[in-house]
Amino acid sequence: LATTRTAFEHRALVVGSDRAEFLTGLQALSRGEQAAGLVEGVAGDPGKTVFVFPGQGAQWAGMAVELLGTSPVFAEQLAACADALAPFVDWSLIDVLRGHPDAPALERVDVVQPALFAIMVSLARLWQSLGVHPDAVIGHSQGEIAAAHIAGALTLEDAAKIVALRSHALRELAGHGGMVAIPLPAATVAEQLARLGDRVNGDRVNIAAINGSHSTVVSGDPDTLDDILDAYATQNVPARKIPVDYASHSAQVENIREKVLGLLADVTPRPATIAFYSTVTGMLLDTTELTADYWYRNLRQTVRLDPAVRAALAGGHRTFVETSSHPVLTVGIQQTIDDTSVGENTTTTVTGTLRRHEGGWRRLSTSLAHLHVHGISPDWTAVFGPAARRTDLPTYAFQRERHWLAAPTGNDVTAAGLDPAGHPLLAAALPLADGDTVLLTGQLSLAAHPWLADHAVSGTVLLPASAFVDLALHAADQVGCDEIAELTLEAPLVVPDAVGIRLQLIVGAGDDPGRRTVSIHSCPASTLVEGTRSDRAWTRHATGILTSTDGVLTGTGTIASVPAPDDLAGAWPPVGASAVDVTGLYQRLAARGYDYGPVFQGLRAAWRRGDDVFAEVHLPPGQQADAGRFGLHPALLDAALHAAVGLVPASETGTET
């Protein structure tokens, strides 16, 4: 299909190793479901492509070794890198990667940096062999050495010399420094450092890297870094140490300045054939300036990745491929993109290459699939290889459209003996003849309810737990109850793109007067249309108890009623409460896999007073029209919960939510 058919806007690829795996992916695609190895997307204008090369952090034992046995292009380039490094090191690159007992530890700075350089260069050549070519390169710290070689500014020999000799010089700094990553803007971090005063004065600590709009690294004296970590801990900011014992991009580097300049004095840069965006200057750079002095400044000065990415975006670059053994910069790059106006209806794509413990062709194919569904088409002949067998394919089926007038159906369910459900996610209600059971039905999909796409976990759109609460509340109202006494969520509900999911709420008789049971179920709509009753695969997602009392919403699980403080009325923000900074909350949640879109990013402000948390939550204007049809709009309830799960440390709640 890829080599003989037109590539349309809506695309999907299935990555697999045998017929059964491919059929599983295709069947999931036909049903509008998710599956391992299935990659879907809508292609737009991908703009120009940037290869991004990180510094350290992507390393792992056995990285990319699997490709040595499956990709001749990768193996050949890695061997060339090993030969280029050999005059400057006393160890074997291949032995290091394979974990040979006599090889030095990968943790050594003069081992890990050359090894990462070789992996990045070899992966870049592999991408190019598959027809994915960079229009520009960006390198982070020592990643600029690989970037300069791929851009054509350095020979492989000069690049290998720089990375080997400079990393060996860094050993003199080992044990005297450290680095800390802070999920805040660089300007905010600079203000914090200024408030610490004498504890960070002089050159004891420096801003080492600006990786994104909310991603900053500082480096310097270990004791000073401990003070910084303590300061952020009191502010509930999850700053963390980076596992290195030296302070790149700090004043400590000045101790090896003369040595670095002497070792690299004969490096001869050339004009690049590919645009080179410098993270030393944050701008497009003439690569004839990549002399020994530049490579010293690259080690000493702040890494300006965020400005470099902004400059690339301004130059029309929309696709960023982190060319490494594990993605370490994609989050920061995405932050910068999200913080930059790139134009209406403009598509941007950020992807990695390999992942930790996924160092083979399968992961590379998945990354390539991600690029293709967003508009980058590789050389499919090179992807499939000379052994691929072509086969005749059927022509497209005719798509028939009926033009005869048909009786209007509308949304009137009463003709089918049903009652309108009166809820945005439910269409009909049916009291059964036995007098004790009420059935409520509806159909969910992103086509019908596009706002649900803003609630995803690790890229999968799930019906939020708050929606189950609202559905149960509506069911209670239908049968004369006013309280959820208990609600247990048993299975997540994946919301498909187009093919709908049938939804059923069953309210039955309880064990006591005034108590009713409720259960929530789903089934793919296609199963109901095409199959027999025995084929209907229903999933139960939630069960609960509804009661009729004079109470309010309560719960035995994650939701409970809490009486408001007596002095809250008429005072907002509450008297004596301290403001909590919610800046970057949704970026931090995204880093943990919680992908909240604009509809679910409703937490605007928060305060704390003792054990109480106060929050302001809002619905976007596009959802306010339907808000009254919900008991409590799921996005509004979800945003209220963000104040508890996102701002209150796990040590206080006694759990990790």
Side-chain angles (χ1 to χ4, degrees):
L1 288 172
T3 60
T4 61
R5 291 288 172 87
T6 300
F8 294 114
E9 183 181 20
H10 292 261
R11 302 179 182 183
L13 285 88
V14 178
V15 179
S17 56
D18 55 38
R19 177 181 175 83
E21 197 169 7
F22 285 124
L23 287 176
T24 298
L26 289 171
Q27 289 163 356
L29 175 64
S30 72
R31 295 191 296 264
E33 299 174 355
Q34 302 291 322
L38 173 60
V39 182
E40 299 179 74
V42 180
D45 179 5
K48 293 184 284 188
T49 300
V50 183
F51 280 6
V52 182
F53 302 87
Q56 286 184 226
Q59 67 270 16
W60 51 278
M63 58 180 174
V65 169
E66 189 180 340
L67 279 180
L68 280 172
T70 56
S71 171
V73 172
F74 181 82
E76 180 180 349
Q77 183 60 51
L78 200 67
C81 289
D83 291 342
L85 288 168
F88 311 108
V89 299
D90 58 0
W91 42 266
S92 163
L93 173 65
I94 304 302
D95 286 350
V96 166
L97 295 178
R98 292 191 182 278
H100 192 278
D102 296 330
L106 191 62
E107 289 76 15
R108 266 175 44 185
V109 64
D110 60 327
V111 176
V112 68
Q113 289 197 0
L116 287 172
F117 162 81
I119 293 291
M120 291 188 291
V121 167
S122 301
L123 289 176
R125 295 306 184 200
L126 180 53
W127 275 121
Q128 290 174 310
S129 75
L130 300 177
V132 180
H133 299 281
D135 300 292
V137 294
I138 296 175
H140 184 287
S141 190
Q142 70 111 3
E144 278 206 303
I145 305 171
H149 170 60
I150 295 301
L154 294 175
T155 65
L156 183 58
E157 291 70 25
D158 269 353
K161 179 178 182 177
I162 295 169
V163 72
L165 297 183
R166 197 182 73 165
S167 62
H168 191 272
L170 270 173
R171 293 185 66 180
E172 296 182 19
L173 305 181
H176 300 291
M179 306 182 82
V180 168
I182 305 167
L184 291 174
T188 304
V189 173
E191 292 174 1
Q192 177 71 52
L193 297 182
R195 286 196 294 269
L196 288 175
D198 293 340
R199 286 188 286 173
V200 296
N201 64 356
D203 292 321
R204 294 178 63 186
V205 68
N206 299 101
I207 291 182
I210 306 172
N211 292 337
S213 59
H214 288 76
S215 181
T216 306
V217 177
V218 296
S219 65
D221 172 71
D223 292 337
T224 305
L225 294 178
D226 287 340
D227 288 341
I228 292 172
L229 285 169
D230 291 342
Y232 279 119
T234 62
Q235 301 172 37
N236 297 323
V237 175
R240 61 177 179 84
K241 280 188 175 180
I242 297 174
V244 296
D245 65 348
Y246 54 90
S248 296
H249 312 289
S250 78
Q252 292 188 18
V253 175
E254 295 170 9
N255 295 324
I256 60 171
R257 178 180 183 275
E258 297 306 321
K259 185 171 186 176
V260 170
L261 293 178
L263 289 171
L264 307 182
D266 59 350
V267 169
T268 307
R270 304 177 297 187
T273 56
I274 296 172
F276 182 90
Y277 284 91
S278 166
T279 53
V280 174
T281 66
M283 299 181 294
L284 192 64
L285 186 73
D286 177 357
T287 56
T288 59
E289 299 179 26
L290 302 183
T291 60
D293 179 68
Y294 181 89
W295 296 114
Y296 166 73
R297 290 188 292 125
N298 164 274
L299 184 61
R300 168 62 181 90
Q301 294 183 10
T302 300
V303 179
R304 299 175 60 79
L305 177 66
D306 177 81
V309 171
R310 293 177 190 271
L313 289 168
H317 300 83
R318 300 286 182 265
T319 301
F320 295 82
V321 182
E322 183 173 337
T323 310
S324 67
S325 50
H326 183 77
V328 294
L329 299 178
T330 53
V331 171
I333 293 171
Q334 189 62 58
Q335 286 179 358
T336 299
I337 291 173
D338 293 343
D339 196 48
T340 305
S341 176
V342 295
E344 189 175 356
N345 300 322
T346 299
T347 299
T348 58
T349 303
V350 182
T351 189
T353 302
L354 303 181
R355 287 184 179 273
R356 189 164 284 114
H357 308 306
E358 297 181 59
W361 192 258
R362 186 185 188 95
R363 169 46 59 184
L364 182 72
S365 298
T366 303
S367 298
L368 184 145
H370 185 78
L371 288 178
H372 179 61
V373 301
H374 289 91
I376 299 289
S377 293
D379 178 356
W380 291 113
T381 301
V383 172
F384 292 122
R389 178 174 58 87
R390 293 183 180 273
T391 186
D392 290 334
L393 296 171
T395 58
Y396 286 117
F398 286 104
Q399 302 297 309
R400 295 179 174 86
E401 183 177 351
R402 181 180 178 87
H403 293 282
W404 295 104
L405 295 176
T409 57
N411 294 318
D412 184 7
V413 297
T414 58
L418 306 172
D419 296 328
H423 189 277
L425 303 182
L426 298 170
L430 177 64
L432 299 187
D434 65 5
D436 290 328
T437 303
V438 175
L439 175 67
L440 296 99
T441 67
Q443 185 161 304
L444 298 179
S445 71
L446 295 185
H449 310 285
W451 61 276
L452 290 175
D454 284 356
H455 184 276
V457 177
S458 299
T460 300
V461 177
L462 300 178
L463 187 70
S466 54
F468 286 106
V469 172
D470 186 67
L471 288 169
L473 282 173
H474 187 74
D477 183 64
Q478 292 287 302
V479 297
C481 294
D482 58 13
E483 178 175 306
I484 302 175
E486 180 180 314
L487 185 64
T488 302
L489 304 185
E490 300 179 355
L493 195 161
V494 177
V495 183
D497 290 336
V499 179
I501 285 283
R502 291 283 180 94
L503 194 66
Q504 286 192 0
L505 275 73
I506 302 172
V507 183
D511 50 4
D512 294 317
R515 289 170 62 89
R516 305 289 292 268
T517 62
V518 63
S519 58
I520 303 175
H521 310 255
S522 79
C523 177
S526 57
T527 302
L528 290 174
V529 173
E530 300 167 3
T532 64
R533 176 172 294 276
S534 61
D535 294 329
R536 299 179 182 179
W538 287 95
T539 299
R540 189 173 72 182
H541 298 280
T543 57
I545 300 295
L546 310 176
T547 61
S548 179
T549 68
D550 293 328
V552 293
L553 172 65
T554 64
T556 59
T558 60
I559 300 174
S561 64
V562 178
D566 294 335
D567 64 345
L568 184 59
W572 193 261
V575 176
S578 300
V580 178
D581 186 8
V582 300
T583 304
L585 169 65
Y586 291 103
Q587 288 84 352
R588 295 194 298 273
L589 291 173
R592 292 161 56 186
Y594 301 104
D595 305 319
Y596 293 114
V599 172
F600 283 83
Q601 293 184 12
L603 181 60
R604 302 292 179 83
W607 296 264
R608 293 196 66 183
R609 186 177 63 191
D611 294 332
D612 294 327
V613 178
F614 306 91
E616 282 187 7
V617 294
H618 296 255
L619 278 178
Q623 294 300 312
Q624 292 175 6
D626 272 346
R629 300 177 61 203
F630 291 95
L632 181 59
H633 196 292
L636 199 63
L637 176 55
D638 217 64
L641 297 177
H642 297 168
V645 303
L647 301 177
V648 178
S651 59
E652 294 186 26
T653 61
T655 183
E656 182 160 340
T657 305

